[in-house]
Amino acid sequence: MFIRHCEAYLDQNRLKKAVAKTAVTYLLSKIEASSIVGIGTGSTANFFIDELAEHKDSFYGAIASSNASEAKLAAAGIQVFDLNSISDIDLYVDGADEINPQLQLIKGGGAALTREKIVATVAKEFVCIADSSKWVHKLGRFPLPIEVIPMARSYVARELLKLGGDPVWRQGIITDNGNYIIDIHGLWPIEADGTLEKAINQITGVVTNGLFTHRTADLVFLGTEKGVTTHRYDGNTDL
Ligand code: 5RP
């Protein structure tokens, strides 16, 4: 049982490395020496940083979506900037917890959703990289992360209950912004019309939610057993 679990983990890492490599090749075809690149958070983003480090002289610097990624980038010798000193991010590369055929996402498994959503919003292009286990027909099996102001945690949880989910406080986790995370279980299926993302944002005390139904990915590289597949949404996906 343990050996099978380890094999699955190693397989997943192999797929994550493959998409990270593909994303670096794509990035090199799009950027210039003056480019600023946005870098996400998580195990897939970490593989991407490892690959990118070999090409650190091909672009100007990076914006990180978390303190952890910032430290990893700095250790690789990539200059990291404060977003307030930068007006344009040419390309943002990050992982996801779920991806639907419209390239809408659930993010925040690593508690970095707020900075991830900010960097994705500023970026001209958002490239999502993941292994094929993240591809779903409808979002919502993965518990939806919500970043909340600590004093509003109980109030926000009561309001989230009214939306039909089961909110669970991710105890022991403080975000890079000093806030708490609540994960909403049992929301499947989340409709693709964007109403839930807006409704959660309306709750006072919510900083951000992990639904990316408005700022979707522009491009997804998915690591599958048959190789890396490329996905764009042309508006015609059969829902
Ligand atoms: C962090 C995230 C990550 O992108 C997401 O959790 C995927 O992580 P991994 O690449 O480790 O599977 O949203 O907040």
Side-chain angles (χ1 to χ4, degrees):
M1 181 71 174
F2 176 71
I3 290 176
R4 230 179 303 142
H5 187 74
C6 286
E7 280 172 357
Y9 177 76
L10 289 175
D11 268 1
Q12 223 174 357
N13 279 352
R14 191 171 42 80
L15 301 181
K16 288 178 183 182
K17 272 185 202 166
V19 284
K21 231 180 169 53
T22 302
V24 168
T25 304
Y26 179 76
L27 177 136
L28 293 173
S29 75
K30 300 281 287 193
I31 55 164
E32 301 168 353
S34 60
S35 290
I36 296 288
V37 175
I39 310 286
T41 299
S43 57
T44 320
N46 283 342
F47 285 126
F48 176 74
I49 295 171
D50 292 341
E51 289 288 331
L52 191 63
E54 291 171 31
H55 304 278
K56 61 178 176 233
D57 298 328
S58 305
F59 57 99
Y60 195 64
I63 300 288
S65 70
S66 63
N67 292 341
S69 291
E70 180 170 347
K72 192 168 167 65
L73 286 161
I78 296 171
Q79 193 172 1
V80 182
F81 292 93
D82 179 336
L83 182 57
N84 291 308
S85 64
I86 296 291
S87 57
D88 291 318
I89 299 172
D90 294 284
L91 197 85
Y92 174 47
V93 179
D94 197 1
D97 299 299
E98 282 188 347
I99 308 164
N100 73 11
Q102 292 95 328
L103 309 194
Q104 297 175 326
L105 315 170
I106 286 183
K107 288 185 51 55
L113 60 153
T114 299
R115 295 189 188 190
E116 291 173 339
K117 202 176 262 194
I118 293 168
V119 179
T121 301
V122 175
K124 290 181 197 149
E125 185 174 4
F126 176 13
V127 178
C128 183
I129 52 175
D131 67 84
S132 54
S133 69
K134 309 294 182 74
W135 186 262
V136 297
H137 187 55
K138 294 220 179 229
L139 301 176
R141 298 252 189 238
F142 190 91
L144 177 63
I146 316 290
E147 180 162 353
V148 297
I149 300 289
M151 74 171 288
R153 175 177 59 81
S154 295
Y155 167 72
V156 169
R158 289 195 296 277
E159 291 300 301
L160 292 173
L161 267 176
K162 296 179 191 166
L163 295 176
D166 178 16
V168 177
W169 177 24
R170 206 187 294 178
Q171 291 195 42
I173 296 294
I174 304 287
T175 70
D176 288 350
N177 313 306
N179 297 315
Y180 289 163
I181 297 286
I182 293 175
D183 295 303
I184 321 180
H185 296 247
L187 283 177
W188 189 89
I190 294 174
E191 295 309 328
D193 59 10
T195 52
L196 185 63
E197 184 177 353
K198 276 193 189 158
I200 296 172
N201 284 343
Q202 289 302 321
I203 300 171
T204 302
V206 167
V207 178
T208 320
N209 70 77
L211 267 176
F212 285 56
T213 51
H214 296 285
R215 196 336 167 196
T216 65
D218 297 303
L219 173 64
V220 171
F221 291 125
L222 211 61
T224 78
E225 283 306 330
K226 292 182 178 160
V228 175
T229 57
T230 302
H231 305 261
R232 287 190 189 272
Y233 179 52
D234 61 6
N236 288 317
T237 302
D238 181 11
L239 302 181

